[in-house]
Amino acid sequence: MSGFAHLHLHTEFSLLDGASRIDNLFELCQKMGMKAVAITDHGNMYGAYHFYVKANETDPKTGKRKYNVKPIIGCEFYVADDIKIKSGRDTNYHLVLLAKNNTGYKNLVKLNSIAFVDGFYYKPRIDFETLSRYSEGLICLSACLAGQLPRFLLDNRNEDADIIVEKYKALFGDDYYIELQDHGIAEQRFLNPKLIEIAKKHNVPLVATNDVHYLHKSDAEMQDILLCVQTGHYVDDADRMRFDGEEFYLKSGDEMEKIFASVPEAIANTLKIAEKCDVQIEKEKLLPSYVPPDGLTPEQYLRILMEEGLKERYGEITPEIRERAEYEFGIISKMGYVEYYLIVWDFIHYAESNDIPVGPGRGSGAGSIIAYAIGITKVEPLRYNLLFERFLNPDRISMPDFDVDFCMDRRGEVINYVISKYGKDNVAQIVTFGTMAVKNAIKDVCRVLRVPYSEGDKVTKLIPNMSKHNLRQILGLDLYEGADVRIAEVREIYDNDYQMKKVMDLAMQLEGSPRQTGIHAAGVVVCREPISDHIPLQRSGEDITTQFTMKEVEKLGL
């Protein structure tokens, strides 16, 4: 069992330069005997929930957790002097924050949301004043060469360095650590003795990290290609962003102990920090409240709408109609979805009252006679033998959803209505991630390596548009659902053209990694409380979106 844990690690969600795939991380940590690992992506928490879920994945045969590796949720923040200043050249420093407990996790979420919503200027930023308000439950590491303390020491601003250490020590107490890194970089060799000295002077503990950006040493070239793709450079450009060396990988505990043999306490403290951390991310009841008119309860108001709607839709209410309506009402009420019906009815009613075209409703929601009665759907369920149970039943775990279509030209009006009704802090759109598809990965690698466009084009033209097969399957290196789906012409090029083989080998490593964020075309979340109290938010231009995907926010109760 390793006596070391990585507490500074960038996954593929550090979109510029991170290449540590979450799906492969925990298996590798398990093989290395590591008890814990942290996620600390640059300025965001995009991958935090996926990281947490992957860590807690269970074996379908045994029902037990696959990995005995504790997930530690963190973020490497950008810290500015004052987030209200958004002009001139922006100077910010890196700072690593880890969630010690659920309070710390909530504060991490809040800080990250503030960084994007209020502090964004080139990058999402916080400042010390903001951090001071949300520091409870957090562990602070002084970060890499781009941290404020390292920068001051490198610039011989020793008095300022002393002030910074005392400032953070006063805020975090025993949860403030001075971070040591050694990738063989000259600046680090010069800096580390100074960090050790100032830590001793102020009685602050040390911690060793490796600023992990990729999983294996052999991934260094791939990560460099990724950096070129994301920054628009060629690999042979002299003046471009690049990493110094090939040491930013997930090193074993033995490797880290050897590097920091002179300061064993910095290694031991990684496990002490890991032992402090215990975060449980659970589904919450976050459905917003609906306040009916005239002091009515939601149940009373839904029943009034239902009775009026049944009379309007059917005229004569037969025993069959009455039995179905009462059955549905009982299930809806028992499962706590009365307000859900009213919320959906309300914004559809608003749209129709303002001549905004609304579709008839799609999906399993069309099986609800109450939805039909109050105008959420326009399809009569009894006539077509549609089952309510497909939409909602006591055994259903996930939240039901009505698929509602609005006129694309006036959809924004409906969103603005929802924002005005429930509050701008309680409504957000949903993030999406554009990923590197097979063809784009090949083209991007060709461009970065200055391989003629025609060479890459020759390969990509052989691959069908919208192919559901990845490059390994196309080359016959992996099967797809047990079948060999290789494209013989692509495999022939791979086997006989050394240059294109290198391109495709690199493309296979990059394929599927997130490249940029976007906004879900039809996803809006509404919460009973400010969303940033529960999940992190980000900016997409002027729009505010969640940092977690549609499926993730649903699992968390939104």
Side-chain angles (χ1 to χ4, degrees):
M1 186 65 69
S2 173
F4 174 81
H6 282 285
L7 301 176
H8 189 150
L9 180 144
H10 298 278
T11 75
E12 66 265 38
F13 289 97
S14 284
L15 300 183
L16 175 68
D17 58 10
S20 305
R21 294 290 184 101
I22 292 173
D23 286 344
N24 302 327
L25 173 63
F26 288 94
E27 183 177 358
L28 184 55
C29 287
Q30 182 104 324
K31 286 180 180 178
M32 289 181 171
M34 292 186 177
K35 296 179 180 179
V37 65
I39 180 174
T40 58
D41 282 320
H42 287 302
N44 72 68
M45 294 179 68
Y46 296 141
Y49 186 63
H50 178 42
F51 176 86
Y52 179 83
V53 169
K54 186 67 182 179
N56 290 283
E57 198 170 75
T58 56
D59 186 318
K61 293 181 180 178
T62 65
K64 296 181 179 178
R65 281 183 61 189
K66 286 183 180 180
Y67 314 109
N68 295 313
V69 181
K70 179 190 287 187
I72 298 172
I73 309 297
C75 176
E76 186 168 26
F77 282 86
Y78 299 103
V79 182
D81 292 332
D82 185 347
I83 61 172
K84 294 187 289 294
I85 298 174
K86 299 180 181 180
S87 61
R89 184 184 175 189
D90 179 47
T91 300
N92 60 68
Y93 302 97
H94 293 197
L95 190 73
V96 174
L97 298 176
L98 306 174
K100 187 165 64 168
N101 48 38
N102 281 21
T103 299
Y105 173 74
K106 294 285 188 182
N107 280 331
L108 204 67
V109 166
K110 179 63 78 172
L111 285 166
N112 209 238
S113 298
I114 291 171
F116 272 101
V117 176
D118 300 322
F120 197 93
Y121 181 64
Y122 292 100
K123 294 182 183 297
R125 310 168 306 154
I126 59 170
D127 54 26
F128 189 81
E129 190 274 328
T130 307
L131 177 58
S132 299
R133 296 203 309 271
Y134 299 102
S135 61
E136 185 182 351
L138 293 174
I139 295 170
C140 178
L141 314 186
S142 61
C144 56
L145 287 170
Q148 190 173 26
L149 174 60
R151 294 316 309 174
F152 282 179
L153 290 174
L154 286 169
D155 293 340
N156 291 315
R157 295 172 58 182
N158 296 329
E159 290 185 7
D160 289 335
D162 286 328
I163 292 170
I164 285 295
V165 171
E166 284 300 321
K167 186 176 176 182
Y168 279 98
K169 184 180 177 183
L171 183 60
F172 290 101
D174 293 339
D175 290 325
Y176 175 55
Y177 292 80
I178 290 178
E179 195 170 342
L180 298 177
Q181 296 181 356
D182 189 349
H183 302 97
I185 299 170
E187 281 184 309
Q188 291 173 336
R189 294 283 168 84
F190 171 79
L191 177 66
N192 283 347
K194 290 179 173 289
L195 289 169
I196 294 168
E197 181 184 350
I198 201 169
K200 185 176 181 180
K201 178 180 178 180
H202 295 276
N203 195 27
V204 173
L206 296 164
V207 64
T209 73
N210 201 51
D211 201 4
V212 177
H213 280 72
Y214 41 92
L215 296 182
H216 305 280
K217 190 168 186 174
S218 58
D219 292 335
E221 182 181 17
M222 172 272 293
Q223 191 262 353
D224 193 45
I225 296 294
L226 172 67
L227 200 53
C228 291
V229 169
Q230 294 296 69
T231 58
H233 283 280
Y234 297 108
V235 74
D236 58 3
D237 283 348
D239 186 21
R240 69 169 176 87
M241 180 181 175
R242 67 178 77 231
F243 278 51
D244 192 344
E246 302 176 343
E247 300 299 319
F248 294 82
Y249 64 96
L250 193 83
K251 291 179 177 172
S252 68
D254 288 343
E255 288 176 289
M256 293 299 291
E257 287 170 17
K258 185 176 179 180
I259 293 168
F260 293 101
S262 63
V263 277
E265 67 274 22
I267 296 292
N269 282 337
T270 65
L271 291 189
K272 288 182 180 179
I273 290 171
E275 287 166 3
K276 289 182 181 182
C277 297
D278 183 19
V279 170
Q280 305 296 321
I281 305 177
E282 298 175 341
K283 185 173 183 176
E284 301 178 84
K285 292 183 178 180
L286 299 175
L287 195 69
S289 299
Y290 184 87
V291 182
D294 303 325
L296 296 169
T297 67
E299 286 80 5
Q300 289 171 333
Y301 193 48
L302 179 61
R303 179 166 286 281
I304 289 170
L305 293 175
M306 179 186 81
E307 296 295 346
E308 291 176 351
L310 289 173
K311 290 177 183 176
E312 183 179 337
R313 295 284 193 182
Y314 292 102
E316 180 186 354
I317 301 175
T318 66
E320 180 189 18
I321 293 170
R322 173 57 61 190
E323 182 181 357
R324 174 66 170 263
E326 294 299 333
Y327 167 73
E328 286 190 17
F329 194 93
I331 295 292
I332 294 164
S333 181
K334 181 180 178 182
M335 294 187 68
Y337 288 119
V338 169
E339 288 174 290
Y340 176 68
Y341 267 72
L342 291 173
I343 290 164
V344 176
W345 166 80
D346 181 70
F347 61 69
I348 289 175
H349 178 69
Y350 167 82
E352 292 178 337
S353 299
N354 288 274
D355 299 320
I356 299 172
V358 183
R362 295 178 288 109
S364 60
S368 170
I369 198 170
I370 293 178
Y372 173 66
I374 67 177
I376 291 176
T377 61
K378 307 296 188 290
V379 179
E380 202 282 291
L382 299 182
R383 177 183 176 187
Y384 297 102
N385 296 314
L386 301 180
L387 300 176
F388 174 69
E389 290 78 8
R390 284 193 61 216
F391 176 66
L392 190 62
N393 67 75
D395 295 325
R396 178 168 179 156
I397 298 173
S398 61
M399 186 180 289
D401 65 301
F402 289 109
D403 295 317
V404 184
D405 297 302
F406 293 101
C407 165
M408 62 182 293
D409 294 330
R410 300 185 65 190
R411 172 177 175 266
E413 294 177 46
V414 182
I415 294 174
N416 288 336
Y417 169 75
V418 173
I419 291 171
S420 68
K421 187 173 183 71
Y422 298 100
K424 66 180 181 64
D425 293 335
N426 297 30
V427 181
Q429 299 195 68
I430 301 174
V431 75
T432 59
F433 294 97
T435 57
M436 289 194 195
V438 178
K439 290 188 174 189
N440 285 340
I442 293 170
K443 290 176 180 178
D444 282 337
V445 175
C446 281
R447 182 191 63 77
V448 166
L449 295 178
R450 295 189 190 269
V451 174
Y453 176 83
S454 59
E455 293 299 305
D457 193 51
K458 183 168 62 177
V459 174
T460 57
K461 280 184 174 177
L462 294 169
I463 301 171
N465 291 327
M466 307 298 289
S467 173
K468 60 184 175 182
H469 306 133
N470 63 39
L471 189 49
R472 289 189 63 83
Q473 293 161 351
I474 288 167
L475 291 169
L477 301 173
D478 286 341
L479 299 178
Y480 174 74
E481 296 182 350
D484 188 337
V485 295
R486 77 179 67 195
I487 298 174
E489 297 92 333
V490 178
R491 180 58 185 262
E492 184 178 352
I493 294 171
Y494 181 78
D495 288 337
N496 297 294
D497 185 327
Y498 173 78
Q499 181 176 243
M500 286 309 299
K501 180 181 187 302
K502 181 175 182 178
V503 167
M504 285 189 265
D505 283 339
L506 288 165
M508 280 187 273
Q509 293 178 278
L510 294 176
E511 182 187 357
S513 58
R515 188 167 181 178
Q516 72 276 322
T517 63
I519 301 177
H520 194 289
V524 177
V525 289
V526 188
C527 185
R528 66 169 63 233
E529 299 164 358
I531 294 175
S532 62
D533 287 350
H534 303 279
I535 64 169
L537 299 174
Q538 69 129 18
R539 272 195 182 277
S540 186
E542 291 302 310
D543 295 306
I544 305 300
T545 78
T546 63
Q547 286 191 43
F548 296 163
T549 65
M550 180 179 71
K551 289 183 179 179
E552 290 173 336
V553 299
E554 182 183 352
K555 288 176 181 176
L556 290 168
L558 285 164

